[in-house]
PDB file of all heavy atoms in Angstrom:
ATOM      1  N   LEU A1001      16.559   9.212  12.377  1.00 98.00           N
ATOM      2  CA  LEU A1001      16.022   9.752  11.123  1.00 98.00           C
ATOM      3  C   LEU A1001      16.911   9.396   9.937  1.00 98.00           C
ATOM      4  O   LEU A1001      16.442   9.284   8.806  1.00 98.00           O
ATOM      5  CB  LEU A1001      15.879  11.281  11.209  1.00 98.00           C
ATOM      6  CG  LEU A1001      14.717  11.813  12.048  1.00 98.00           C
ATOM      7  CD1 LEU A1001      14.857  13.305  12.273  1.00 98.00           C
ATOM      8  CD2 LEU A1001      13.375  11.498  11.379  1.00 98.00           C
ATOM      9  N   MET A1002      18.197   9.222  10.185  1.00 98.00           N
ATOM     10  CA  MET A1002      19.130   8.911   9.104  1.00 98.00           C
ATOM     11  C   MET A1002      19.150   7.428   8.732  1.00 98.00           C
ATOM     12  O   MET A1002      19.749   7.042   7.748  1.00 98.00           O
ATOM     13  CB  MET A1002      20.557   9.335   9.494  1.00 98.00           C
ATOM     14  CG  MET A1002      20.791  10.834   9.532  1.00 98.00           C
ATOM     15  SD  MET A1002      20.294  11.676   7.996  1.00 98.00           S
ATOM     16  CE  MET A1002      21.285  10.803   6.769  1.00 98.00           C
ATOM     17  N   ARG A1003      18.503   6.601   9.529  1.00 97.00           N
ATOM     18  CA  ARG A1003      18.535   5.165   9.228  1.00 97.00           C
ATOM     19  C   ARG A1003      17.625   4.888   8.033  1.00 97.00           C
ATOM     20  O   ARG A1003      16.467   5.297   8.048  1.00 97.00           O
ATOM     21  CB  ARG A1003      18.035   4.403  10.457  1.00 97.00           C
ATOM     22  CG  ARG A1003      18.503   2.983  10.517  1.00 97.00           C
ATOM     23  CD  ARG A1003      18.498   2.447  11.946  1.00 97.00           C
ATOM     24  NE  ARG A1003      19.718   2.808  12.646  1.00 97.00           N
ATOM     25  CZ  ARG A1003      19.767   3.399  13.840  1.00 97.00           C
ATOM     26  NH1 ARG A1003      18.656   3.685  14.476  1.00 97.00           N
ATOM     27  NH2 ARG A1003      20.918   3.686  14.388  1.00 97.00           N
ATOM     28  N   PRO A1004      18.107   4.189   7.005  1.00 94.00           N
ATOM     29  CA  PRO A1004      17.235   3.905   5.860  1.00 94.00           C
ATOM     30  C   PRO A1004      15.945   3.241   6.324  1.00 94.00           C
ATOM     31  O   PRO A1004      15.967   2.366   7.186  1.00 94.00           O
ATOM     32  CB  PRO A1004      18.065   2.947   5.005  1.00 94.00           C
ATOM     33  CG  PRO A1004      19.483   3.237   5.378  1.00 94.00           C
ATOM     34  CD  PRO A1004      19.450   3.625   6.833  1.00 94.00           C
ATOM     35  N   ALA A1005      14.817   3.662   5.755  1.00 89.00           N
ATOM     36  CA  ALA A1005      13.500   3.203   6.218  1.00 89.00           C
ATOM     37  C   ALA A1005      13.407   1.677   6.281  1.00 89.00           C
ATOM     38  O   ALA A1005      12.897   1.119   7.243  1.00 89.00           O
ATOM     39  CB  ALA A1005      12.415   3.764   5.317  1.00 89.00           C
ATOM     40  N   TYR A1006      13.935   1.004   5.259  1.00 88.00           N
ATOM     41  CA  TYR A1006      13.772  -0.448   5.225  1.00 88.00           C
ATOM     42  C   TYR A1006      14.626  -1.156   6.287  1.00 88.00           C
ATOM     43  O   TYR A1006      14.379  -2.308   6.621  1.00 88.00           O
ATOM     44  CB  TYR A1006      14.079  -0.999   3.821  1.00 88.00           C
ATOM     45  CG  TYR A1006      15.514  -0.819   3.381  1.00 88.00           C
ATOM     46  CD1 TYR A1006      16.470  -1.804   3.630  1.00 88.00           C
ATOM     47  CD2 TYR A1006      15.928   0.353   2.745  1.00 88.00           C
ATOM     48  CE1 TYR A1006      17.789  -1.617   3.249  1.00 88.00           C
ATOM     49  CE2 TYR A1006      17.249   0.539   2.353  1.00 88.00           C
ATOM     50  CZ  TYR A1006      18.176  -0.461   2.614  1.00 88.00           C
ATOM     51  OH  TYR A1006      19.479  -0.275   2.253  1.00 88.00           O
ATOM     52  N   ILE A1007      15.637  -0.453   6.815  1.00 95.00           N
ATOM     53  CA  ILE A1007      16.491  -1.060   7.854  1.00 95.00           C
ATOM     54  C   ILE A1007      15.960  -0.738   9.256  1.00 95.00           C
ATOM     55  O   ILE A1007      16.291  -1.396  10.223  1.00 95.00           O
ATOM     56  CB  ILE A1007      17.951  -0.545   7.721  1.00 95.00           C
ATOM     57  CG1 ILE A1007      18.579  -1.121   6.456  1.00 95.00           C
ATOM     58  CG2 ILE A1007      18.798  -0.891   8.936  1.00 95.00           C
ATOM     59  CD1 ILE A1007      20.015  -0.719   6.224  1.00 95.00           C
ATOM     60  N   PHE A1008      15.107   0.268   9.345  1.00 96.00           N
ATOM     61  CA  PHE A1008      14.698   0.803  10.640  1.00 96.00           C
ATOM     62  C   PHE A1008      14.167  -0.281  11.590  1.00 96.00           C
ATOM     63  O   PHE A1008      14.644  -0.429  12.716  1.00 96.00           O
ATOM     64  CB  PHE A1008      13.650   1.904  10.450  1.00 96.00           C
ATOM     65  CG  PHE A1008      13.440   2.736  11.679  1.00 96.00           C
ATOM     66  CD1 PHE A1008      14.218   3.856  11.916  1.00 96.00           C
ATOM     67  CD2 PHE A1008      12.488   2.386  12.628  1.00 96.00           C
ATOM     68  CE1 PHE A1008      14.049   4.618  13.069  1.00 96.00           C
ATOM     69  CE2 PHE A1008      12.316   3.143  13.789  1.00 96.00           C
ATOM     70  CZ  PHE A1008      13.100   4.259  14.001  1.00 96.00           C
ATOM     71  N   ASP A1009      13.185  -1.053  11.130  1.00 97.00           N
ATOM     72  CA  ASP A1009      12.576  -2.081  11.989  1.00 97.00           C
ATOM     73  C   ASP A1009      13.554  -3.204  12.315  1.00 97.00           C
ATOM     74  O   ASP A1009      13.618  -3.679  13.445  1.00 97.00           O
ATOM     75  CB  ASP A1009      11.330  -2.671  11.318  1.00 97.00           C
ATOM     76  CG  ASP A1009      10.151  -1.702  11.343  1.00 97.00           C
ATOM     77  OD1 ASP A1009      10.179  -0.764  12.155  1.00 97.00           O
ATOM     78  OD2 ASP A1009       9.209  -1.896  10.557  1.00 97.00           O
ATOM     79  N   ALA A1010      14.319  -3.627  11.300  1.00 97.00           N
ATOM     80  CA  ALA A1010      15.286  -4.711  11.524  1.00 97.00           C
ATOM     81  C   ALA A1010      16.304  -4.293  12.585  1.00 97.00           C
ATOM     82  O   ALA A1010      16.650  -5.070  13.488  1.00 97.00           O
ATOM     83  CB  ALA A1010      15.991  -5.061  10.209  1.00 97.00           C
ATOM     84  N   HIS A1011      16.731  -3.052  12.503  1.00 96.00           N
ATOM     85  CA  HIS A1011      17.705  -2.526  13.467  1.00 96.00           C
ATOM     86  C   HIS A1011      17.099  -2.482  14.877  1.00 96.00           C
ATOM     87  O   HIS A1011      17.739  -2.861  15.865  1.00 96.00           O
ATOM     88  CB  HIS A1011      18.155  -1.133  13.022  1.00 96.00           C
ATOM     89  CG  HIS A1011      19.152  -0.505  13.939  1.00 96.00           C
ATOM     90  ND1 HIS A1011      18.768   0.268  15.024  1.00 96.00           N
ATOM     91  CD2 HIS A1011      20.500  -0.548  13.969  1.00 96.00           C
ATOM     92  CE1 HIS A1011      19.859   0.671  15.669  1.00 96.00           C
ATOM     93  NE2 HIS A1011      20.912   0.193  15.054  1.00 96.00           N
ATOM     94  N   ALA A1012      15.857  -2.014  14.959  1.00 96.00           N
ATOM     95  CA  ALA A1012      15.189  -1.942  16.275  1.00 96.00           C
ATOM     96  C   ALA A1012      15.046  -3.341  16.885  1.00 96.00           C
ATOM     97  O   ALA A1012      15.258  -3.538  18.085  1.00 96.00           O
ATOM     98  CB  ALA A1012      13.818  -1.277  16.133  1.00 96.00           C
ATOM     99  N   LEU A1013      14.696  -4.318  16.049  1.00 97.00           N
ATOM    100  CA  LEU A1013      14.544  -5.695  16.549  1.00 97.00           C
ATOM    101  C   LEU A1013      15.886  -6.268  16.983  1.00 97.00           C
ATOM    102  O   LEU A1013      15.992  -6.942  18.001  1.00 97.00           O
ATOM    103  CB  LEU A1013      13.908  -6.586  15.470  1.00 97.00           C
ATOM    104  CG  LEU A1013      12.432  -6.292  15.186  1.00 97.00           C
ATOM    105  CD1 LEU A1013      11.961  -7.024  13.933  1.00 97.00           C
ATOM    106  CD2 LEU A1013      11.551  -6.676  16.376  1.00 97.00           C
ATOM    107  N   LYS A1014      16.912  -5.983  16.202  1.00 96.00           N
ATOM    108  CA  LYS A1014      18.259  -6.474  16.550  1.00 96.00           C
ATOM    109  C   LYS A1014      18.653  -5.976  17.939  1.00 96.00           C
ATOM    110  O   LYS A1014      19.151  -6.713  18.779  1.00 96.00           O
ATOM    111  CB  LYS A1014      19.259  -5.993  15.507  1.00 96.00           C
ATOM    112  CG  LYS A1014      20.713  -6.189  15.908  1.00 96.00           C
ATOM    113  CD  LYS A1014      21.449  -7.025  14.879  1.00 96.00           C
ATOM    114  CE  LYS A1014      22.927  -7.051  15.122  1.00 96.00           C
ATOM    115  NZ  LYS A1014      23.364  -8.079  16.018  1.00 96.00           N
ATOM    116  N   HIS A1015      18.395  -4.691  18.176  1.00 94.00           N
ATOM    117  CA  HIS A1015      18.756  -4.126  19.475  1.00 94.00           C
ATOM    118  C   HIS A1015      17.869  -4.636  20.599  1.00 94.00           C
ATOM    119  O   HIS A1015      18.292  -4.685  21.751  1.00 94.00           O
ATOM    120  CB  HIS A1015      18.772  -2.606  19.408  1.00 94.00           C
ATOM    121  CG  HIS A1015      20.077  -2.134  18.841  1.00 94.00           C
ATOM    122  ND1 HIS A1015      21.111  -1.684  19.615  1.00 94.00           N
ATOM    123  CD2 HIS A1015      20.539  -2.156  17.569  1.00 94.00           C
ATOM    124  CE1 HIS A1015      22.152  -1.421  18.848  1.00 94.00           C
ATOM    125  NE2 HIS A1015      21.830  -1.698  17.594  1.00 94.00           N
ATOM    126  N   ALA A1016      16.655  -5.032  20.252  1.00 95.00           N
ATOM    127  CA  ALA A1016      15.736  -5.547  21.280  1.00 95.00           C
ATOM    128  C   ALA A1016      16.154  -6.932  21.757  1.00 95.00           C
ATOM    129  O   ALA A1016      15.806  -7.347  22.860  1.00 95.00           O
ATOM    130  CB  ALA A1016      14.317  -5.600  20.728  1.00 95.00           C
TER     131      ALA A1016
END
Side-chain angles (χ1 to χ4, degrees):
L1001 285 169
M1002 289 307 303
R1003 203 156 276 129
Y1006 65 91
I1007 290 181
F1008 195 88
D1009 286 341
H1011 180 271
L1013 290 169
K1014 168 123 171 87
H1015 278 261

